[in-house]
Amino acid sequence: MAHPSQLGFQDAASPVMEELLHFHDHTLMIVFLISTLVLYIIVAMVSTKLTNKYVLDSQEIEIVWTVLPAVILILIALPSLRILYLMDEINDPHLTIKAMGHQWYWSYEYTDYEDLGFDSYMIPTQDLSPGQFRLLETDHRMVVPMESPIRVLVSAEDVLHSWAVPALGIKMDAVPGRLNQTAFITSRPGVYYGQCSEICGRNHSFMPIVVEAVPLEHFENWSSLMLEES
Amino acid sequence: MSPFSALRVAGLLARRGVAVNISVRAAHGHEISKQEDMSLPMYWDRKDTPLPDIPFQKALTADQQSLKQKELGSWKNLSEEEKIALYRLAFNQTFAEMKKPTQEWKTVVGGVLIFIGLTGLVVWWQRVFVLPPQPHTLKEDWLAAQAKRMIDMRVNPVEGFSSSWDYEKNQWKK
């Protein structure tokens, strides 16, 4: 989760998010360079003592400021496309989980081996234990084995929702009648928070997502417990 | 507070000669000058177009016309005052006059600060009379418990929050 007043990304918890972090650094650097140049030109134009400022024709600079932006755009596009295709690589998931969006909660189904399904409601602010995070905690978390490829099939039962976990670099729209697939591997164990990312009614801000990545034995214990409960 | 500062700003702006709606001017008993014909060449004082399309004074008196005739001959025959008079016929302001600093920035900065102050008053009034109380999760003890939990959970341990905590010594890194 983010700490208060955080401006940048959360630390990456999956390899894809790491790539996105580095790509963002690269692109932001280019943006800062261009903005600095433009700011410098503006200041120079405004504060110059010269009176004849309006040159009407110059082929050389026209060529430069046409070719150079095209080159810069290519320098941005190539890493971007690389990551895009990386995200679509054939992977071999160890587990498939279905995340279904409802108004206003998520439900998770682990149906690879047994029939495990449960709802995940936000814990209301007045019911929080000391130290829990307001508007982020849920009664049941989506527990996954760490460092294993997981496939998530996202859909919705009523209106549009979106399943997002920033630390894993995931956002996938939940469209009623459609199955959207996304996949991730958690690089480290931990608890990763996200929030519904498509407006879906009055409690759109109050249906968070919590992914808990644990060692495999803990995951097996948890899923046995959950099966017994239901 | 509000009507007085608005009057003050209006007074400052009026001194600057900001253009006012023509009908408002007429309603207050002012003359309305003839509208400029924008399709004809215009005169203006600008540092970056130093030679305007037309001279400043188009209509010349008899004296000024005879001076223009004298200008057609050798300029060595012109006195200092005549040269200056001819310059003033062609141009309204000299470069020095154009570049002279105005005090406009003080008006602008003052106006901006006034409005920021007014906004601040509105925000404070809203805090007192409109907004609901803050959630209990923003109290000191809750935030402390939350920070402890974030450290225990290793939230953002690489470069973020938990990376500043020294887990061996159980304190923030120096």
Side-chain angles (χ1 to χ4, degrees):
Chain A
M1 62 163 276
H3 65 256
S5 72
Q6 177 171 333
L7 286 179
F9 290 126
Q10 299 174 31
D11 280 347
S14 77
V16 166
M17 189 59 206
E18 274 183 60
E19 296 286 341
L20 287 170
L21 272 177
H22 297 314
F23 172 69
H24 180 262
D25 287 344
H26 163 80
T27 309
L28 198 62
M29 172 64 73
I30 295 175
V31 164
F32 279 155
L33 286 172
I34 295 173
S35 306
T36 308
L37 176 67
V38 170
L39 190 62
Y40 169 76
I41 292 173
I42 290 172
V43 168
M45 291 291 298
V46 163
S47 63
T48 184
K49 300 278 180 283
L50 300 170
T51 53
N52 186 12
K53 293 191 279 202
Y54 302 124
V55 175
L56 294 176
D57 170 63
S58 172
Q59 294 299 326
E60 297 78 11
I61 197 173
E62 293 273 355
I63 292 172
V64 167
W65 68 34
T66 306
V67 168
L68 202 55
V71 167
I72 289 173
L73 285 175
I74 292 175
L75 283 180
I76 296 173
L78 290 180
S80 175
L81 290 171
R82 184 182 71 85
I83 297 176
L84 190 64
Y85 280 82
L86 195 91
M87 284 163 30
D88 268 347
E89 288 262 315
I90 312 287
N91 53 8
D92 187 20
H94 293 175
L95 193 61
T96 299
I97 305 173
K98 287 169 225 141
M100 305 293 294
H102 308 252
Q103 282 178 313
W104 288 278
Y105 61 97
W106 292 93
S107 64
Y108 301 107
E109 297 165 29
Y110 296 62
T111 49
D112 283 340
Y113 303 103
E114 311 273 350
D115 235 332
L116 171 59
F118 56 91
D119 298 336
S120 175
Y121 279 84
M122 182 185 86
I123 299 180
T125 305
Q126 63 259 30
D127 297 341
L128 289 170
S129 317
Q132 282 191 312
F133 310 128
R134 186 177 70 99
L135 307 186
L136 284 177
E137 304 282 3
T138 56
D139 51 4
H140 298 115
R141 296 173 173 172
M142 185 179 110
V143 180
V144 297
M146 62 185 246
E147 292 170 2
S148 307
I150 312 285
R151 173 201 280 135
V152 184
L153 296 172
V154 183
S155 187
E157 296 278 16
D158 36 46
V159 298
L160 291 178
H161 301 269
S162 187
W163 197 80
V165 183
L168 303 173
I170 299 180
K171 183 174 294 175
M172 190 52 78
D173 279 0
V175 182
R178 181 185 170 87
L179 275 184
N180 278 331
Q181 173 179 300
T182 184
F184 65 91
I185 304 180
T186 48
S187 334
R188 51 188 163 86
V191 184
Y192 307 111
Y193 293 87
Q195 293 176 290
C196 177
S197 299
E198 185 67 46
I199 185 82
C200 53
R202 72 189 297 248
N203 285 338
H204 155 69
S205 317
F206 309 118
M207 47 182 291
I209 295 136
V210 187
V211 175
E212 185 174 343
V214 294
L216 187 58
E217 319 84 64
H218 293 258
F219 171 73
E220 287 167 348
N221 296 339
W222 168 84
S223 51
S224 313
L225 267 164
M226 290 297 288
L227 277 163
E228 278 168 33
E229 258 176 46
S230 58
Chain B
M1 174 72 199
S2 172
F4 294 112
S5 47
L7 275 175
R8 217 185 318 146
V9 171
L12 291 167
L13 290 173
R15 248 184 283 140
R16 283 280 311 130
V18 170
V20 177
N21 190 289
I22 289 178
S23 57
V24 172
R25 285 177 59 83
H28 284 76
H30 287 280
E31 285 176 22
I32 309 168
S33 55
K34 190 166 64 71
Q35 294 280 44
E36 285 276 1
D37 184 350
M38 297 285 180
S39 64
L40 296 173
M42 292 176 69
Y43 176 87
W44 48 53
D45 290 307
R46 279 188 63 135
K47 284 181 291 176
D48 46 33
T49 47
L51 298 173
D53 300 330
I54 50 169
F56 181 54
Q57 295 280 30
K58 293 227 75 171
L60 301 174
T61 65
D63 279 341
Q64 288 167 337
Q65 276 176 357
S66 61
L67 192 55
K68 291 300 274 185
Q69 285 295 107
K70 195 172 176 198
E71 191 191 20
L72 294 174
S74 172
W75 288 348
K76 288 196 184 24
N77 300 334
L78 293 169
S79 70
E80 197 63 30
E81 300 84 35
E82 283 173 334
K83 286 180 190 168
I84 291 174
L86 281 167
Y87 182 92
R88 288 292 175 182
L89 284 180
F91 301 104
N92 181 24
Q93 284 182 315
T94 65
F95 258 72
E97 286 163 5
M98 267 193 267
K99 287 189 195 177
K100 201 170 58 164
T102 66
Q103 304 302 304
E104 184 180 16
W105 69 273
K106 295 180 187 170
T107 311
V108 172
V109 169
V112 166
L113 290 174
I114 287 168
F115 278 106
I116 290 175
L118 286 174
T119 309
L121 273 171
V122 170
V123 167
W124 165 83
W125 180 86
Q126 281 179 336
R127 283 239 182 110
V128 171
F129 292 105
V130 175
L131 296 177
Q134 280 194 337
H136 65 97
T137 52
L138 291 169
K139 295 221 166 61
E140 280 264 7
D141 51 335
W142 194 283
L143 290 175
Q146 198 171 275
K148 174 98 186 41
R149 185 159 172 264
M150 282 164 74
I151 288 167
D152 292 340
M153 287 166 80
R154 306 280 207 274
V155 165
N156 295 333
V158 182
E159 287 181 330
F161 188 74
S162 302
S163 65
S164 320
W165 181 262
D166 190 341
Y167 283 96
E168 326 265 286
K169 297 196 192 130
N170 226 6
Q171 60 188 15
W172 291 110
K173 283 185 186 161
K174 293 285 187 294

